[in-house]
Amino acid sequence: MNRLKKGLFFQSVLLAAVLAIVLAGCGKSGKPVARVGNSSITQRQFEETFIKQRSIVAAQHATLEQKKNVLNGMIKHRLQVLEARAEGLDQKPEFIKKKKGFIDQTIFWAVMEADVIPQVIPESQIKTIWEHSNIDVKIRHILLKYSAKATQKEKDSTLALARDIVKRIRSGEDFSKLVEKYSGDLQSKKFGGNKGYVKWDQLDPQIRNKVFALKRYEISEPLQTHEGIEIIQVLERRIFPRKPYSIARSEILDGLMRQHTRELNRAYLNYWKHLQKKYKVVWFNRNIKLLADSLYFPRGHRVGKQFVPDTSSQFKKLSPKQMKLPLVKYTEKTYTINDFANMVSIGPHHRPRKPIRGAKGIRDILSNKLQREIIVVEGKRRHLIGKPRYQKQIRDWVDSQLYQAIRSKEILKKVVVNDSLAKIYYREHAGLYKIPPKVKVQAIMVKNKQLADKVYRLAVRGANFSGLAEKYNQMVITKKKKGMLGYISHNSYGLIGTEAFRAKVGEIRGPIVMGKNYYVIKILGKKPERQKTFNEARFDVERDLRSRLIKQREKEWMQELRQKMPVVIFEKNLENTFKEYTTDEI
């Protein structure tokens, strides 16, 4: 696999992993806010769920009713997961296989977090961003730009000017006037240099510490940035609560990874070279060439919309003995041609592959396989998955899968919408399925009022509207259609639709002003509102009926589950959530 493809491999797996992982913190779980059957939902679990989609301020000011709404959702989820376990869905072979695949994915991510990411994004950087995440500073600045090719003399001259400007500001000169005279930031120059509130990670890394150390109204010394030299004044400091590090960490890391994709790819490539030595990866290039030269490419076929080769018979030129030849090996395993054939075969449990492109294509496929496999072996040897946050991630994934599985079994598969039920629903709710009234409109758009008035006068006097449209219409999408908009609804084309519905058939209206353009319209016909036939409304009817039946089935099923597994809510403990919520500990 070439460097680019290896990098892209790491990028795709890594970004998928970081989006899937919600890193959970350790600590005391707190008192229960609800008991569901024989299990509890703790204050800590509730707080973590509540603030994933809300700010700390919103959480601390939430009413008991708002908290109950969130808790009821958690209770419904817990009831369904417990029922799935009671029915043994977590013991089914297909579920166990799927879980193993997710555990391997988590181990892969754990190795990345242990060995690759810290080379580019140290934990201290994540913590520093978190420590400043609850502070915004309102700043204004003067930017003295110089070109990338500036000589040292020019840079020294700019620095001297910056120092002089700082002295003048501190002596009482008007900041805004100095901005107007000297600043090279044209955007903020319109507002006296004001850049509004900025966060820590929005500032140039070279100046973050110095800017955030400034007191209110304090003027900085000249600061060197990638744009030039800046003079910054802090106007306001805004401090608010922040999410705990255990929850905020994954969000911060995700953002940093997107910023450092190239560096992470390079770190991954170096790490993969290290692992190949450690696990003694050996490639049998002669056998790979033999395979590449021997592959048979029969006529392709379609799987859905995708064109794929028929790989099931690609290996028929090779003898049974040749099929046992090794292609690559490492300390744990050897992959033969036969293994490769199984790997790329098309069957009910395989994804269709693109054609294999010679020896390089064979190596790419095997290299992808080896990278995942060896990294997982490395993670298992070091027991990285034993860390609490990874164990929680696996538990959350299992619960999520069980929730989906039991809902499919008890709700989705039990809701059946047939033609007879759909027709009954259509008759009972016929008023919901109507085709709104429409008006057929022809329009001429021009760029100035004088021309619009002229077109309107000519049209009213009886000039051929299509001829006028051919000559004057400047609307690109209708120019070749002689201005024909066709049948439009009341909400179409803004004021054009409104005016069209007020007019009579044959009437000409205008000029209608929309933005910088002027329109003259003619009404060619009208269609009144009408009832959709069942066939016209079938899709919407079936969708609406299914949605109603799903809600009805879910309500009935939840009542059954609550009788089977009693639910108790501890309101006092729920009220006390976020009361002792600390965010300073890392």
Side-chain angles (χ1 to χ4, degrees):
M1 178 180 286
N2 60 30
R3 290 179 65 86
L4 176 60
K5 286 200 174 181
K6 284 191 217 174
L8 292 175
F9 166 76
F10 168 71
Q11 180 181 346
S12 63
V13 174
L14 197 56
L15 290 179
V18 78
L19 292 174
I21 292 176
V22 178
L23 300 176
C26 306
K28 296 179 180 179
S29 61
K31 297 176 182 179
V33 293
R35 188 172 300 283
V36 183
N38 293 323
S39 72
S40 295
I41 297 174
T42 66
Q43 288 177 323
R44 178 61 178 266
Q45 290 169 332
F46 172 80
E47 289 172 349
E48 286 184 353
T49 299
F50 196 97
I51 65 171
K52 278 176 186 175
Q53 302 298 326
R54 299 165 181 82
S55 68
I56 296 295
V57 174
Q60 290 175 329
H61 290 86
T63 64
L64 180 61
E65 196 62 32
Q66 289 171 325
K67 291 179 180 181
K68 277 186 177 180
N69 287 338
V70 174
L71 181 59
N72 283 330
M74 295 177 71
I75 289 169
K76 285 172 63 176
H77 188 278
R78 181 68 63 87
L79 281 167
Q80 294 176 53
V81 170
L82 290 173
E83 180 66 7
R85 291 184 184 278
E87 293 190 16
L89 298 188
D90 57 335
Q91 300 304 315
K92 290 187 176 294
E94 60 270 23
F95 185 87
I96 292 171
K97 182 179 179 181
K98 197 174 180 182
K99 180 181 176 182
K100 182 183 178 300
F102 183 78
I103 289 173
D104 285 351
Q105 178 184 323
T106 306
I107 293 171
F108 184 100
W109 167 254
V111 175
M112 294 299 101
E113 259 208 314
D115 296 346
V116 177
I117 293 174
Q119 296 180 39
V120 180
I121 306 169
E123 194 70 20
S124 59
Q125 183 181 0
I126 303 172
K127 287 180 180 177
T128 301
I129 292 173
W130 174 76
E131 286 168 350
H132 293 86
S133 65
N134 65 329
I135 304 171
D136 290 350
V137 290
K138 186 177 183 181
I139 63 172
R140 58 179 177 175
H141 80 150
I142 298 171
L143 173 62
L144 304 179
K145 287 186 174 182
Y146 50 70
S147 70
K149 296 180 180 180
T151 64
Q152 190 58 48
K153 185 177 180 181
E154 289 171 327
K155 291 180 179 180
D156 290 342
S157 173
T158 305
L159 179 59
L161 173 61
R163 285 172 177 160
D164 180 61
I165 291 171
V166 169
K167 287 180 183 177
R168 291 161 66 181
I169 295 170
R170 289 174 178 169
S171 299
E173 278 199 51
D174 188 286
F175 195 102
S176 299
K177 289 182 179 178
L178 292 169
V179 168
E180 182 64 31
K181 185 174 182 180
Y182 295 109
S183 185
D185 181 355
L186 300 180
Q187 187 62 37
S188 68
K189 197 171 187 175
K190 303 173 187 175
F191 308 100
N194 198 321
K195 290 179 69 69
Y197 283 98
V198 296
K199 294 185 178 296
W200 170 267
D201 54 356
Q202 292 175 315
L203 287 171
D204 190 307
Q206 298 178 70
I207 66 171
R208 286 172 180 166
N209 286 322
K210 292 176 181 177
V211 172
F212 270 70
L214 293 173
K215 296 176 183 177
R216 191 180 182 192
Y217 301 130
E218 190 175 356
I219 305 292
S220 73
E221 294 296 332
L223 301 172
Q224 182 73 51
T225 70
H226 68 284
E227 291 187 282
I229 295 175
E230 286 190 71
I231 300 160
I232 294 176
Q233 182 182 36
V234 170
L235 302 175
E236 299 284 349
R237 293 176 68 87
R238 192 165 59 184
I239 301 175
F240 42 88
R242 62 179 166 228
K243 292 183 180 181
Y245 186 66
S246 59
I247 293 174
R249 181 183 182 277
S250 62
E251 298 172 9
I252 297 169
L253 179 58
D254 186 19
L256 289 172
M257 286 174 62
R258 293 180 188 281
Q259 293 174 29
H260 298 287
T261 302
R262 289 185 180 179
E263 298 95 319
L264 287 168
N265 280 337
R266 284 197 293 268
Y268 176 79
L269 290 170
N270 292 331
Y271 183 65
W272 173 231
K273 287 178 183 176
H274 160 72
L275 286 183
Q276 288 183 79
K277 291 179 183 177
K278 181 175 180 178
Y279 286 88
K280 300 177 181 177
V281 175
V282 177
W283 292 91
F284 296 88
N285 293 319
R286 183 179 295 180
N287 295 342
I288 291 173
K289 187 176 186 306
L290 169 69
L291 173 59
D293 293 342
S294 304
L295 284 177
Y296 167 69
F297 293 97
R299 184 174 296 175
H301 64 280
R302 290 191 177 276
V303 175
K305 294 183 179 179
Q306 188 176 12
F307 181 82
V308 296
D310 178 9
T311 56
S312 59
S313 58
Q314 280 190 358
F315 303 88
K316 69 179 186 179
K317 289 185 178 181
L318 297 168
S319 68
K321 184 177 179 180
Q322 287 175 319
M323 291 295 286
K324 294 179 182 178
L325 290 173
L327 297 175
V328 65
K329 72 174 183 178
Y330 67 102
T331 53
E332 305 287 321
K333 188 172 181 179
T334 298
Y335 280 97
T336 65
I337 294 178
N338 194 58
D339 294 325
F340 183 80
N342 292 331
M343 197 185 302
V344 299
S345 63
I346 295 180
H349 301 296
H350 296 79
R351 293 177 62 187
R353 288 189 176 275
K354 294 179 181 178
I356 301 166
R357 302 294 183 189
K360 180 181 177 301
I362 294 168
R363 281 187 66 113
D364 285 351
I365 293 169
L366 288 168
S367 184
N368 264 332
K369 177 75 173 174
L370 253 61
Q371 286 179 57
R372 292 176 182 274
E373 204 167 280
I374 290 175
I375 288 170
V376 170
V377 169
E378 174 72 7
K380 286 179 178 177
R381 283 185 175 181
R382 290 159 59 187
H383 307 290
L384 294 178
I385 204 171
K387 291 183 178 181
R389 65 171 177 254
Y390 300 125
Q391 288 299 307
K392 182 181 184 300
Q393 181 197 344
I394 293 168
R395 288 195 302 272
D396 289 347
W397 180 87
V398 167
D399 285 354
S400 172
Q401 295 297 309
L402 289 175
Y403 173 78
Q404 293 175 35
I406 195 68
R407 283 182 64 82
S408 176
K409 177 177 181 290
E410 294 294 336
I411 298 178
L412 302 181
K413 289 182 179 178
K414 289 188 177 182
V415 170
V416 179
V417 175
N418 55 38
D419 218 42
S420 176
L421 288 173
K423 285 179 178 177
I424 293 171
Y425 187 83
Y426 167 75
R427 287 195 295 270
E428 292 175 348
H429 303 85
L432 298 175
Y433 306 106
K434 293 183 177 180
I435 295 176
K438 291 189 175 182
V439 176
K440 191 174 184 181
V441 178
Q442 193 173 13
I444 299 171
M445 185 270 280
V446 295
K447 300 285 186 180
N448 65 75
K449 190 173 186 308
Q450 291 77 15
L451 182 56
D453 289 336
K454 177 183 175 181
V455 171
Y456 176 74
R457 286 195 303 270
L458 291 171
V460 169
R461 289 172 185 171
N464 183 280
F465 202 87
S466 294
L468 292 174
E470 279 187 307
K471 185 174 182 180
Y472 296 109
N473 182 37
Q474 297 173 22
M475 186 186 292
V476 176
I477 60 172
T478 64
K479 193 163 183 65
K480 293 181 180 179
K481 300 177 183 178
K482 299 180 181 180
M484 194 66 68
L485 294 179
Y487 280 98
I488 67 172
S489 63
H490 188 277
N491 297 323
S492 301
Y493 296 96
L495 285 175
I496 292 176
T498 303
E499 288 294 321
F501 269 79
R502 291 174 180 167
K504 298 176 182 178
V505 175
E507 188 177 346
I508 293 166
R509 290 208 170 194
I512 300 167
V513 184
M514 288 176 59
K516 295 181 180 180
N517 302 320
Y518 299 84
Y519 297 82
V520 177
I521 64 173
K522 182 176 182 179
I523 313 306
L524 303 179
K526 290 193 175 186
K527 288 182 179 180
E529 178 184 77
R530 73 171 178 84
Q531 179 71 43
K532 285 185 180 180
T533 65
F534 174 72
N535 284 334
E536 288 174 328
R538 181 188 294 272
F539 177 81
D540 292 335
V541 170
E542 290 179 350
R543 179 201 61 207
D544 295 345
L545 176 57
R546 180 176 294 278
S547 177
R548 174 171 290 198
L549 292 176
I550 285 173
K551 288 178 182 177
Q552 183 180 322
R553 170 57 191 154
E554 183 176 28
K555 185 177 179 181
E556 293 169 355
W557 185 46
M558 291 310 299
Q559 289 174 348
E560 294 169 16
L561 291 181
R562 282 177 176 265
Q563 289 176 355
K564 189 175 179 179
M565 292 175 276
V567 173
V568 179
I569 294 177
F570 303 101
E571 284 196 6
K572 189 171 182 180
N573 292 345
L574 184 62
E575 280 186 296
N576 288 332
T577 51
F578 302 109
K579 292 291 173 67
E580 298 177 359
Y581 205 70
T582 59
T583 60
D584 293 329
E585 292 182 2
I586 298 178

